[in-house]
Amino acid sequence: MKTISLVIVWLALHWFADATFAATSSPNNPGTQAPPCNIGKVAPAYTKSLAANTLANLAIVASTNYYTAPCFRAVVDFLIAPETPGPQPHPYEDFYFDSISNEIIDTQSKCTTYRQSTEIYLLQGNGTWSQKDKGTLIGTWSGNKCHFKPPTNQSDFRAKKYSPASGQSHYRVASTVTTGKGIVWGPNNQPNTTTATEANAVGLATPRQVCFAVEHAHSDNTQVVGCADPTR
């Protein structure tokens, strides 16, 4: 009798967890839509400035507390100084953004499950944010080391060049970095749209700390450094 009672209690708890985890997961329930990610309402972890005479600036989000609904994004704002007055152009005031894990990716399992999504926004005069670029990075293991690059046929957001405006520019960079097999939460994939049974079957990826950087083009034409690759 005790065994039967324990089984009944276990089934009841399992059903309750499933129902609670996906309270609106019925396909006929409009509540199954993921809550919107309003990038304008996300509080940046840091706001950094890049002066015309400064080579670079970076910010480290050394916590995974950013990984919460509805955006699951680490966010850093960058204030870019206006172009220097005088004869145009000023090519070495052009700049590039970078973002990557701030945790060492030193095993093949971490590397081959590395997933990163990044978006770059510019604040418009009317107070709205306009997306200027987005991209994905994955890990490839070779030579006993992890290499980070976009999936095949996708562009690399780190290679996109930006130019200063006549006034100060306000950019917002948002990234999610995870390792491990399983579900990666994000604006289009939320806990309230996935049942506990599905999550347990697939597993959950592990969020990672994130490095963000902005850097001017180098006057000696050497390569932009940005964040250091997280490898030993």
Side-chain angles (χ1 to χ4, degrees):
M1 180 65 71
K2 182 181 290 186
T3 300
I4 294 174
S5 299
L6 289 174
V7 170
I8 292 173
V9 170
W10 181 86
L11 289 172
L13 288 174
H14 187 272
W15 175 86
F16 178 78
D18 225 27
T20 301
F21 194 87
T24 58
S25 64
S26 167
N28 298 319
N29 188 333
T32 57
Q33 294 299 313
C37 172
N38 186 339
I39 199 66
K41 292 185 177 181
V42 178
Y46 300 98
T47 298
K48 299 287 186 174
S49 298
L50 182 66
N53 60 351
T54 300
L55 181 60
N57 207 340
L58 62 79
I60 304 298
V61 178
S63 168
T64 58
N65 291 339
Y66 69 84
Y67 200 66
T68 57
C71 289
F72 297 92
R73 296 284 190 269
V75 174
V76 170
D77 282 10
F78 290 100
L79 306 179
I80 311 299
E83 187 172 35
T84 302
Q88 305 296 324
H90 300 118
Y92 305 119
E93 291 181 2
D94 293 337
F95 54 96
Y96 300 82
F97 291 107
D98 188 18
S99 177
I100 204 163
S101 171
N102 188 54
E103 298 182 53
I104 298 297
I105 308 299
D106 56 355
T107 66
Q108 185 171 357
S109 61
K110 288 181 187 177
C111 179
T112 56
T113 59
Y114 183 95
R115 285 174 285 180
Q116 174 179 342
S117 61
T118 297
E119 299 106 33
I120 299 171
Y121 300 86
L122 174 63
L123 184 62
Q124 304 297 302
N126 61 3
T128 62
W129 293 91
S130 173
Q131 188 177 98
K132 294 303 176 182
D133 200 15
K134 64 178 180 179
T136 300
L137 296 180
I138 59 174
T140 302
W141 187 260
S142 65
N144 204 34
K145 185 177 181 180
C146 196
H147 303 268
F148 307 90
K149 61 182 182 180
T152 303
N153 298 324
Q154 289 191 23
S155 61
D156 193 335
F157 71 90
R158 300 170 298 179
K160 182 178 175 65
K161 181 176 71 175
Y162 297 82
S163 298
S166 57
Q168 178 179 265
S169 304
H170 187 167
Y171 284 87
R172 177 162 289 181
V173 185
S175 289
T176 300
V177 176
T178 62
T179 60
K181 295 179 180 179
I183 296 172
V184 178
W185 298 132
N188 298 317
N189 192 30
Q190 301 269 319
N192 75 319
T193 65
T194 304
T195 66
T197 300
E198 292 170 329
N200 289 335
V202 178
L204 299 176
T206 302
R208 298 296 181 182
Q209 302 171 20
V210 188
C211 172
F212 295 85
V214 64
E215 187 168 345
H216 280 130
H218 296 192
S219 59
D220 59 1
N221 294 319
T222 56
Q223 185 176 0
V224 172
V225 177
C227 295
D229 276 2
T231 55
R232 293 192 187 279

